[in-house]
Amino acid sequence: MINSEISVYVPAFNAEKTIKLCINSIFAQTIKPKTILIINDCSTDMTAEILNSFGDKIKVIQNKTNLGLSHSMNIATDYLNTRYISKIDGFCSHFLQIHI
């Protein structure tokens, strides 16, 4: 079930080893967010290519320079417009659970 009031964002920098698992853990939730937004903070590894493999299932903002975690978080909260916004780190390696 997609909940139109929930969005999840993931700030990511050089997260090629964990970003796919992180995103798949969001997809695996019982309650699906309206939007999954990834802020790629100018990664220099394969993070961008992995994100591209998800196609239109996720939204991606590519920072042109490395802006840091706080600035990337601000970009995400400015972009998203749902009632609830959740953040998960791009280096998560365990399943996320959204509780309302």
Side-chain angles (χ1 to χ4, degrees):
M1 166 179 80
I2 293 178
N3 187 317
S4 63
E5 295 190 15
I6 299 172
S7 293
V8 176
Y9 74 91
V10 183
F13 174 70
N14 290 346
E16 69 181 2
K17 294 180 181 175
T18 56
I19 195 68
K20 185 174 182 179
L21 179 61
C22 179
I23 294 168
N24 285 333
S25 73
I26 299 169
F27 288 138
Q29 297 307 301
T30 308
I31 298 173
K32 312 289 187 224
K34 174 183 175 184
T35 304
I36 300 171
L37 174 65
I38 314 300
I39 308 296
N40 185 11
D41 199 16
C42 200
S43 295
T44 58
D45 63 0
M46 298 294 290
T47 299
E49 290 81 359
I50 295 166
L51 296 175
N52 287 338
S53 73
F54 284 95
D56 63 356
K57 294 178 185 176
I58 62 172
K59 295 188 184 289
V60 178
I61 294 176
Q62 302 278 354
N63 291 347
K64 294 180 182 177
T65 61
N66 184 276
L67 301 173
L69 179 60
S70 294
H71 196 82
S72 293
M73 291 169 55
N74 289 339
I75 291 169
T77 56
D78 287 345
Y79 179 88
L80 296 168
N81 59 4
T82 53
R83 182 172 182 186
Y84 302 103
I85 298 173
S86 178
K87 173 194 166 286
I88 185 167
D89 188 64
F91 291 105
C92 79
S93 58
H94 302 288
F95 287 124
L96 156 78
Q97 289 191 346
I98 299 172
H99 299 281
I100 299 177

